[in-house]
Amino acid sequence: MLRLNHLCSSIFNAYKVSNKTLDFSTKKFRSQMENYTTCSDSSKLLFRQLFEKESSTYTYLLADLTHPDKPALLVDPVDKTVERDISLVEELGLKLIYAINTHVHADHVTGTGLLKNKVEGVKSIISKSSNSKADLFVDHGDKIQIGNLFLEVRATPGHTLGCVTYVTGDGPDQPQPRMAFTGDALLIRGCGRTDFQGGSSSRLYKSVHSQIFSLPEDTFVYPAHDYKGFTVSTVGEEMLYNPRLTKDEETFENIMQNLKLSYPKMMDVAVPANMVCGLQDVTKPLSG
């Protein structure tokens, strides 16, 4: 009986400790998620993460709420969800000025062409090194201004020749922690493939380590895709837990060379359409 009472007491005490731990973790998790979805200075930056399920693509909406026009941009819009994106922009009273791509995608058709056709004044942006078409081209070190906020352009080639990462600004007047929109260069616990479109595993390794892992560790990482249900990570997390990019360069290259991935099913349609990055004639078939 004494043993039974002792056992019950131990279970009860463990339950109380567990409850306290769970309550603390839940509060901490909720606090983190609030940052993930609205950023820490929500009075300045409006931020939304949107998802296209067929290609598992994330589109990101950012806007400056302090500016009279509430200027906004979309990162990596998808053609199939353009109506959803436009509806959201209108509901929130924003003025969409840019539709930008992190690279020439091979798994979906960009929504920039449809956005330009449906929303007056929208301009498409992509890196100059992508060798595709757009209204505006960016290079490493450039800034994309949206009202009083800006995105810094960091060249992160390797998945494709023209990949860039867009990073929210650094400074007292910019929302903190910073946010990195990494495209396919850095995924959550992974990275993009390097076996087509001028890809290079060596170049990707150097890009991520020099241009993304050099950011503050609390910088949020928002990739272009996720296939496991993750929505966000941080630079610090990926430096610790990314199963590929925590390895040395030689091991990383060996991993990438032995992935044996299938040919992207949308590649023959998506790449030709995306090479004209939103300037295609949207009345004609995309494969034409």
PDB file of all heavy atoms in Angstrom, residues 51-57 81 84:
ATOM      1  N   PHE A  51      -0.361  29.623 -49.480  1.00  0.00           N
ATOM      2  CA  PHE A  51       0.085  28.303 -49.931  1.00  0.00           C
ATOM      3  C   PHE A  51      -0.677  27.846 -51.160  1.00  0.00           C
ATOM      4  O   PHE A  51      -1.894  28.005 -51.248  1.00  0.00           O
ATOM      5  CB  PHE A  51      -0.110  27.290 -48.795  1.00  0.00           C
ATOM      6  CG  PHE A  51       0.480  25.931 -49.064  1.00  0.00           C
ATOM      7  CD1 PHE A  51       1.840  25.762 -49.166  1.00  0.00           C
ATOM      8  CD2 PHE A  51      -0.337  24.812 -49.177  1.00  0.00           C
ATOM      9  CE1 PHE A  51       2.398  24.510 -49.391  1.00  0.00           C
ATOM     10  CE2 PHE A  51       0.201  23.559 -49.402  1.00  0.00           C
ATOM     11  CZ  PHE A  51       1.579  23.404 -49.509  1.00  0.00           C
ATOM     12  N   GLU A  52       0.053  27.281 -52.131  1.00  0.00           N
ATOM     13  CA  GLU A  52      -0.547  26.639 -53.309  1.00  0.00           C
ATOM     14  C   GLU A  52      -0.239  25.154 -53.209  1.00  0.00           C
ATOM     15  O   GLU A  52       0.913  24.735 -53.272  1.00  0.00           O
ATOM     16  CB  GLU A  52       0.029  27.242 -54.594  1.00  0.00           C
ATOM     17  CG  GLU A  52      -0.751  26.901 -55.857  1.00  0.00           C
ATOM     18  CD  GLU A  52      -0.447  25.493 -56.364  1.00  0.00           C
ATOM     19  OE1 GLU A  52       0.741  25.165 -56.540  1.00  0.00           O
ATOM     20  OE2 GLU A  52      -1.416  24.714 -56.570  1.00  0.00           O
ATOM     21  N   LYS A  53      -1.283  24.342 -53.026  1.00  0.00           N
ATOM     22  CA  LYS A  53      -1.078  22.955 -52.617  1.00  0.00           C
ATOM     23  C   LYS A  53      -0.536  22.045 -53.717  1.00  0.00           C
ATOM     24  O   LYS A  53       0.173  21.078 -53.416  1.00  0.00           O
ATOM     25  CB  LYS A  53      -2.380  22.370 -52.063  1.00  0.00           C
ATOM     26  CG  LYS A  53      -3.536  22.323 -53.044  1.00  0.00           C
ATOM     27  CD  LYS A  53      -4.791  21.763 -52.370  1.00  0.00           C
ATOM     28  CE  LYS A  53      -5.974  21.708 -53.329  1.00  0.00           C
ATOM     29  NZ  LYS A  53      -7.179  21.153 -52.678  1.00  0.00           N
ATOM     30  N   GLU A  54      -0.838  22.320 -54.983  1.00  0.00           N
ATOM     31  CA  GLU A  54      -0.407  21.399 -56.037  1.00  0.00           C
ATOM     32  C   GLU A  54       1.114  21.357 -56.159  1.00  0.00           C
ATOM     33  O   GLU A  54       1.711  20.293 -56.340  1.00  0.00           O
ATOM     34  CB  GLU A  54      -1.038  21.793 -57.382  1.00  0.00           C
ATOM     35  CG  GLU A  54      -0.771  20.785 -58.478  1.00  0.00           C
ATOM     36  CD  GLU A  54      -1.584  21.051 -59.732  1.00  0.00           C
ATOM     37  OE1 GLU A  54      -2.743  21.502 -59.613  1.00  0.00           O
ATOM     38  OE2 GLU A  54      -1.057  20.803 -60.836  1.00  0.00           O
ATOM     39  N   SER A  55       1.756  22.508 -56.097  1.00  0.00           N
ATOM     40  CA  SER A  55       3.217  22.563 -56.186  1.00  0.00           C
ATOM     41  C   SER A  55       3.874  22.794 -54.831  1.00  0.00           C
ATOM     42  O   SER A  55       5.091  22.955 -54.756  1.00  0.00           O
ATOM     43  CB  SER A  55       3.642  23.671 -57.157  1.00  0.00           C
ATOM     44  OG  SER A  55       3.193  24.937 -56.699  1.00  0.00           O
ATOM     45  N   SER A  56       3.056  22.824 -53.778  1.00  0.00           N
ATOM     46  CA  SER A  56       3.553  23.077 -52.414  1.00  0.00           C
ATOM     47  C   SER A  56       4.390  24.355 -52.357  1.00  0.00           C
ATOM     48  O   SER A  56       5.466  24.399 -51.757  1.00  0.00           O
ATOM     49  CB  SER A  56       4.376  21.889 -51.912  1.00  0.00           C
ATOM     50  OG  SER A  56       3.592  20.727 -51.825  1.00  0.00           O
ATOM     51  N   THR A  57       3.874  25.392 -53.010  1.00  0.00           N
ATOM     52  CA  THR A  57       4.585  26.667 -53.097  1.00  0.00           C
ATOM     53  C   THR A  57       4.019  27.678 -52.111  1.00  0.00           C
ATOM     54  O   THR A  57       2.806  27.825 -51.979  1.00  0.00           O
ATOM     55  CB  THR A  57       4.478  27.250 -54.516  1.00  0.00           C
ATOM     56  OG1 THR A  57       5.078  26.344 -55.445  1.00  0.00           O
ATOM     57  CG2 THR A  57       5.179  28.603 -54.618  1.00  0.00           C
ATOM     58  N   THR A  81      -3.262  30.725 -58.146  1.00  0.00           N
ATOM     59  CA  THR A  81      -3.823  31.364 -56.950  1.00  0.00           C
ATOM     60  C   THR A  81      -3.829  32.891 -57.058  1.00  0.00           C
ATOM     61  O   THR A  81      -3.939  33.587 -56.048  1.00  0.00           O
ATOM     62  CB  THR A  81      -3.039  30.934 -55.693  1.00  0.00           C
ATOM     63  OG1 THR A  81      -1.632  31.072 -55.938  1.00  0.00           O
ATOM     64  CG2 THR A  81      -3.348  29.496 -55.336  1.00  0.00           C
ATOM     65  N   ARG A  84      -7.039  34.565 -55.646  1.00  0.00           N
ATOM     66  CA  ARG A  84      -7.002  34.598 -54.180  1.00  0.00           C
ATOM     67  C   ARG A  84      -6.127  35.747 -53.688  1.00  0.00           C
ATOM     68  O   ARG A  84      -6.493  36.496 -52.777  1.00  0.00           O
ATOM     69  CB  ARG A  84      -6.439  33.282 -53.650  1.00  0.00           C
ATOM     70  CG  ARG A  84      -6.221  33.248 -52.143  1.00  0.00           C
ATOM     71  CD  ARG A  84      -5.171  32.213 -51.746  1.00  0.00           C
ATOM     72  NE  ARG A  84      -3.849  32.522 -52.268  1.00  0.00           N
ATOM     73  CZ  ARG A  84      -2.813  31.691 -52.219  1.00  0.00           C
ATOM     74  NH1 ARG A  84      -2.963  30.483 -51.683  1.00  0.00           N
ATOM     75  NH2 ARG A  84      -1.642  32.057 -52.706  1.00  0.00           N
TER      76      ARG A  84
END
